[in-house]
């Protein structure tokens, strides 16, 4: 099984509505079993989906269907299916980066609170 076939199968599941924006994509282990593919082949398929804007990664959480309207993109595309992919892929990557940044800001705020609590608690013991 090639990574292109795996990626196209997942794209078709997204187009058909079996996988919707925000849904978690199957894990690497699940895809390896389903397609009888190696981990490298599955990783390449996921990389392709992310590059083309069909999926986004959330660190520590997995890969998810990107929030975009593929049918509208395809309908507006008069030249070729690839014509909108770079823009859509860029948009998905920006959205993923914005989510990652928001998560990082939350983690930093949490860590600041913990440091302040430790400093306050540590100051009392002296």
């Amino acid at each position: 099984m090639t990574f292109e076939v795996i990626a196209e199968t997942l794209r078709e599941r997204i187009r058909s509505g079996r996988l919707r924006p925000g849904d978690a994509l199957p894990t690497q282990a699940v895809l390896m079993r389903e397609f009888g593919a190696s981990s490298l082949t599955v990783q390449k398929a996921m990389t392709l989906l992310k590059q083309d804007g069909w999926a986004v990664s959330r660190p520590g959480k997995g890969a998810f269907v990107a929030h975009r309207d593929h049918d509208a993109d395809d309908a507006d595309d008069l030249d070729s299916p690839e014509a909108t992919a770079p823009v859509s892929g860029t948009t998905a990557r920006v959205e993923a980066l914005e989510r990652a940044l928001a998560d990082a800001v939350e983690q930093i705020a949490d860590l600041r609170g913990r440091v302040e609590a430790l400093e306050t608690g540590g100051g009392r013991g002296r």
Side-chain angles (χ1 to χ4, degrees):
M1 184 71 50
T2 67
F3 72 93
E4 292 98 342
V5 171
I6 296 170
E8 182 54 34
T9 300
L10 292 172
R11 279 193 293 269
E12 184 51 40
R13 290 178 188 172
I14 295 167
R15 280 193 287 267
S16 72
R18 286 177 53 200
L19 288 170
R20 294 190 292 227
D23 284 354
L25 289 168
T27 64
Q28 180 174 322
V30 168
L31 293 172
M32 287 170 61
R33 278 193 304 275
E34 179 179 345
F35 293 99
S38 70
S39 62
L40 181 60
T41 300
V42 170
Q43 288 171 10
K44 288 170 101 176
M46 295 305 293
T47 297
L48 183 61
L49 288 174
K50 292 171 194 170
Q51 286 175 346
D52 291 345
W54 290 87
V56 294
S57 286
R58 295 188 188 145
K61 296 181 182 176
F64 296 81
V65 177
H67 290 275
R68 64 171 263 204
D69 187 354
H70 296 285
D71 294 332
D73 287 346
D74 292 343
D76 293 340
D77 182 14
L78 302 176
D79 297 324
S80 70
E82 293 78 24
T84 59
V87 172
S88 301
T90 300
T91 301
R93 285 190 291 274
V94 168
E95 288 173 359
L97 288 171
E98 287 174 344
R99 281 191 296 275
L101 179 59
D103 288 345
V105 168
E106 284 181 31
Q107 290 173 353
I108 289 169
D110 180 53
L111 289 172
R112 274 195 185 129
R114 290 179 184 194
V115 167
E116 288 173 9
L118 287 171
E119 287 174 345
T120 303
R124 284 189 218 145
R126 291 184 185 161

